[in-house]
Amino acid sequence: MTTTTKLLLASALAAATTGGALAADLPPPAPLPEPLPQIESRSFGSWYLRGDIGIGITSDGDWSQDDVTAADGRFLYEALGDSLIVGGGVGYKFNNWLRADLTAEYRGTIDVDGIDEYQFICTFAGGTCANVGDQVTRNNIWNGSISSTVIMANAYVDLGSYHGLTPFVGAGIGASYNSFSAGVEFDPSDLGGGGHVASNSDWDLAWALMAGFGFQVNDRLALELGYRYIDLGDVETGSVTCLGHTACELEPLHIEDITSHDIRLGMRWHFGAKDEVFIQEDPLIVKY
């Protein structure tokens, strides 16, 4: 072996020995950083104020009057007008699907119109009554007005959000203060006659079923467009005082089961929301 060859072998051995020592002295590689959890903030426990306007399409109800019934009579025509609705209330949103509120509303004055038909035994001769004792059919036309104030506790279930819209269903129960006023009844035939229908107000049970859509404008404001079927209970007038030659007092007019199909536009203003942090960790993925 030549001197040159010996020197090259010695240099290679020294380099290998030094490199191994240096490699042994290096620290182990740092572990890969764990993925950060996804943090989502949700609001629960939110109080809110609400306001509503709308129109109520009122149904006719079931009319009766004891004197008409006793004279083998019935109502041929019954009509109640539509009402303007203005209301407001305070509520609480428990979570992202359940909320409840307490509301009060005023339902504007609606017209009341009806026509009855009954059998009359003639007590005189003349006009429609050819002879005393004849039985003739007579009619009365009834007019008046009704207004209502409704206080109701309501609960709603929000059914998730779709493209910014949140459908909901709900139900409510409470009381309605129904008032009848400005009432008259009169016979348009040649026999004439009529009376004044006294005003009267009373409380009755009210209940409702609701459905609609909400739209979240921002963190505080939400708008609603909804339908509501509401039962306002019954209305009873005061007694009927006859006007004309014969003084008398007749029984009140009863209008039962007044219902309405309401279309309402509402708003909710949320305040005092409590934030809750929801942490969702992604699974650890290791690549080789």
Side-chain angles (χ1 to χ4, degrees):
M1 182 180 294
T2 65
T3 303
T4 302
T5 304
K6 291 180 180 180
L7 290 175
L8 291 174
L9 290 175
S11 299
L13 179 61
T17 305
T18 305
L22 291 175
D25 293 337
L26 291 177
L32 294 176
E34 295 183 1
L36 294 176
Q38 296 180 0
I39 300 177
E40 180 183 350
S41 178
R42 298 178 181 177
S43 294
F44 295 96
S46 173
W47 288 96
Y48 63 86
L49 297 175
R50 72 172 301 138
D52 299 277
I53 60 172
I55 186 170
I57 304 171
T58 313
S59 67
D60 298 342
D62 183 18
W63 294 38
S64 64
Q65 200 265 348
D66 290 347
D67 296 292
V68 172
T69 302
D72 195 23
R74 60 195 178 100
F75 278 85
L76 302 177
Y77 174 75
E78 307 155 345
L80 301 178
D82 300 333
S83 63
L84 177 67
I85 305 168
V86 179
V90 60
Y92 190 79
K93 183 177 181 180
F94 296 95
N95 50 44
N96 62 347
W97 61 271
L98 180 63
R99 54 190 169 88
D101 52 42
L102 181 65
T103 59
E105 69 181 42
Y106 175 74
R107 305 177 68 90
T109 301
I110 62 175
D111 295 330
V112 176
D113 298 289
I115 301 174
D116 69 29
E117 177 187 79
Y118 68 98
Q119 304 304 310
F120 176 71
I121 305 300
C122 295
T123 57
F124 57 89
T128 304
C129 286
N131 304 289
V132 174
D134 285 352
Q135 178 174 297
V136 296
T137 299
R138 298 182 65 176
N139 302 97
N140 286 311
I141 297 177
W142 300 76
N143 300 116
S145 61
I146 294 174
S147 63
S148 300
T149 300
V150 184
I151 298 175
M152 188 165 289
N154 310 284
Y156 312 86
V157 176
D158 292 324
L159 304 176
S161 294
Y162 306 90
H163 304 289
L165 295 178
T166 303
F168 68 86
V169 293
I173 190 167
S176 177
Y177 188 70
N178 302 317
S179 300
F180 178 90
S181 59
V184 295
E185 60 91 19
F186 62 95
D187 183 348
S189 72
D190 62 338
L191 299 180
H196 171 72
V197 185
S199 300
N200 187 50
S201 301
D202 204 358
W203 288 97
D204 207 349
L205 177 69
W207 59 271
L209 298 174
M210 296 160 280
F213 292 90
F215 178 73
Q216 197 73 34
V217 179
N218 53 44
D219 291 342
R220 300 293 185 182
L221 178 63
L223 301 180
E224 282 186 7
L225 177 62
Y227 163 80
R228 177 177 66 178
Y229 175 84
I230 186 169
D231 190 317
L232 300 169
D234 305 338
V235 171
E236 181 179 299
T237 72
S239 59
V240 181
T241 302
C242 298
L243 304 176
H245 301 292
T246 304
C248 67
E249 185 169 308
L250 304 178
E251 294 298 317
L253 170 67
H254 301 271
I255 304 177
E256 300 177 353
D257 294 327
I258 299 175
T259 61
S260 178
H261 299 275
D262 297 344
I263 303 298
R264 299 187 301 164
L265 178 63
M267 58 80 67
R268 302 194 312 269
W269 180 261
H270 292 254
F271 59 95
K274 176 183 177 183
D275 291 334
E276 181 175 290
V277 176
F278 174 78
I279 300 177
Q280 179 180 352
E281 296 186 358
D282 289 337
L284 181 63
I285 299 176
V286 180
K287 294 184 178 180
Y288 296 94

